[in-house]
Amino acid sequence: MPPHPPTTASFDVFDRALTLHVDPDALNEAGVVWRDAVRSLARVAAPRCLRVAASVEGLFARDARCGVGFAGAPPVRVLELGAGTGACGLALAAVVPRATCVLTDVDDVVELTRRNVASFVDGVGAPDEVANGPLAPGSVCVAAALRWGESTEAAERAADEADAAAAGGGRRRKEATDVEEGDEKENAYDDEKNNTGKSRRGWDFVLACETLYVPGTWDLFQEDTRGPLLRTLIEACSRSRKKKTVVMMAFTVRDKGREVGWATGAFGENFWMRRLRGGGDDDDDDDDDDDDDDETTRARDADARASLEAAAEGDLVVLRARAKREEGEEEEEEEEEVDR
């Protein structure tokens, strides 16, 4: 007997109506669209992606004035963990220009993610196929298999390949007239790795939308996945030596001891947190102020912890976080910046 065919779910974000394939019969929680969480996370992520893109474009304009030309500024890079239908990452790429979004999930789920990515990339297919129109100008989405606890290196290679394909062979390729013969000046935005093994690009943002599953509720997640999720979050945030990756997470409090306990415990031991309202109206903060020795960061973290402790079951929580730095790491990065 053939498997039950997937159905579709429609939702809107930023006044754009989207329809995605879903498969709750086969995939349970991973095969649905979490509308409230998707809208809230996309609304806080989009303004920040736009701000980072504008900042990078400004750096490239400065480089051009200094006589170092490039084919174009690199896009904002977004990694989504536990993407499921891909709703959050796709909603973001549908409205944010020049974003490269890699949507990841386990092998059993990622085929559904790929099908929804294709609904934007491939346009109108068969009459019964979903077609959402184009992504935002210059944006691209790809789906990739990733089990939590593993490195995101393969996902980053997928982002590199997507960028190269979208740019017709290299979005960040130097023009022939940009560098004199024999000049070995390094492109500050190159994707090569330094001798620490860290990628120069890494991720600007890591998204996790409704990923705190209760263990044993369905076949794909028999084990408690919070530990592997945390390990992948830490690894993803360590991939770049140049930037402070921002984690944005949305989850519904279903078991307060489980979700809030993890956020204020294991997650909070490794990340500085800030709780966001989730409506996109709290975007007056500076994403570059989150340093370990910054009193404002510590105060926001304390406020986030208090807010989480006060949360009730059924509340939707939206967090922004940055990895805490090891002792001496900040000084090392500053020295590298001076060397460059």
Side-chain angles (χ1 to χ4, degrees):
M1 183 176 181
H4 188 279
T7 57
T8 61
S10 299
F11 66 104
D12 62 273
V13 62
F14 299 109
D15 297 323
R16 180 164 176 179
L18 303 176
T19 299
L20 300 180
H21 294 286
V22 298
D23 196 354
D25 289 343
L27 301 177
N28 291 6
E29 290 94 337
V32 302
V33 174
W34 300 97
R35 290 178 176 85
D36 291 343
V38 167
R39 288 192 190 100
S40 295
L41 194 54
R43 285 171 179 165
V44 299
R48 290 169 170 83
C49 287
L50 290 168
R51 187 163 57 210
V52 169
S55 174
V56 173
E57 292 285 0
L59 289 174
F60 268 70
R62 181 199 64 188
D63 288 340
R65 290 194 299 271
C66 294
V68 182
F70 298 86
V76 175
R77 282 204 172 175
V78 180
L79 172 70
E80 184 176 6
L81 302 177
T85 62
C88 190
L90 287 167
L92 197 65
V95 298
V96 175
R98 293 186 56 74
T100 296
C101 299
V102 181
L103 316 181
T104 66
D105 216 312
V106 293
D107 288 324
D108 302 73
V109 180
V110 77
E111 288 306 315
L112 176 65
T113 316
R114 289 193 178 103
R115 191 176 184 194
N116 283 323
V117 169
S119 74
F120 289 83
V121 176
D122 295 341
V124 178
D128 61 342
E129 288 293 300
V130 172
N132 285 294
L135 297 172
S139 287
V140 61
C141 276
V142 294
L146 174 66
R147 180 171 288 276
W148 297 340
E150 298 176 353
S151 168
T152 64
E153 183 175 357
E156 191 169 357
R157 287 199 302 269
D160 293 340
E161 293 167 3
D163 284 350
R171 186 193 304 272
R172 294 176 295 282
R173 182 180 59 246
K174 294 181 182 180
E175 302 293 349
T177 58
D178 290 337
V179 183
E180 294 180 3
E181 185 176 357
D183 186 353
E184 297 180 353
K185 179 179 176 57
E186 182 184 59
N187 179 355
Y189 297 91
D190 203 340
D191 287 328
E192 295 176 0
K193 297 177 181 179
N194 65 0
N195 55 14
T196 68
K198 292 185 178 182
S199 166
R200 293 188 182 280
R201 283 291 289 130
W203 305 102
D204 294 290
F205 299 95
V206 178
L207 307 181
C209 186
E210 294 288 16
T211 54
L212 299 181
Y213 295 110
V214 177
T217 56
W218 60 301
D219 292 343
L220 296 180
F221 294 98
Q222 285 297 324
E223 74 279 8
D224 188 338
T225 58
R226 293 174 297 172
L229 173 60
L230 178 60
R231 290 196 295 274
T232 295
L233 285 168
I234 293 171
E235 190 274 344
C237 291
S238 72
R239 293 202 63 78
S240 174
R241 63 172 178 153
K242 299 191 310 166
K243 69 180 69 171
K244 294 178 288 183
T245 301
V246 176
V247 173
M248 283 185 279
M249 175 179 294
F251 61 88
T252 302
V253 179
R254 297 179 176 88
D255 179 334
K256 187 170 180 178
R258 174 181 170 79
E259 293 100 6
V260 172
W262 178 82
T264 58
F267 182 76
E269 291 173 3
N270 292 277
F271 289 86
W272 296 112
M273 297 183 292
R274 184 178 183 185
R275 186 170 179 183
L276 305 176
R277 291 189 288 273
D281 55 353
D282 50 355
D283 200 49
D284 57 349
D285 60 294
D286 184 353
D287 277 344
D288 291 329
D289 63 4
D290 293 333
D291 295 317
D292 288 28
D293 59 352
D294 186 85
E295 293 183 4
T296 301
T297 296
R298 295 177 181 275
R300 287 172 174 170
D301 184 80
D303 288 345
R305 291 173 176 274
S307 177
L308 286 167
E309 294 292 352
E313 290 190 5
D315 287 353
L316 177 63
V317 173
V318 182
L319 294 177
R320 192 199 77 191
R322 288 190 188 276
K324 294 180 177 179
R325 298 182 178 186
E326 297 291 339
E327 185 176 355
E329 183 177 350
E330 183 175 355
E331 290 80 0
E332 180 181 337
E333 290 183 357
E334 289 176 353
E335 290 174 2
E336 289 175 348
E337 193 67 36
V338 170
D339 291 341
R340 287 195 296 276

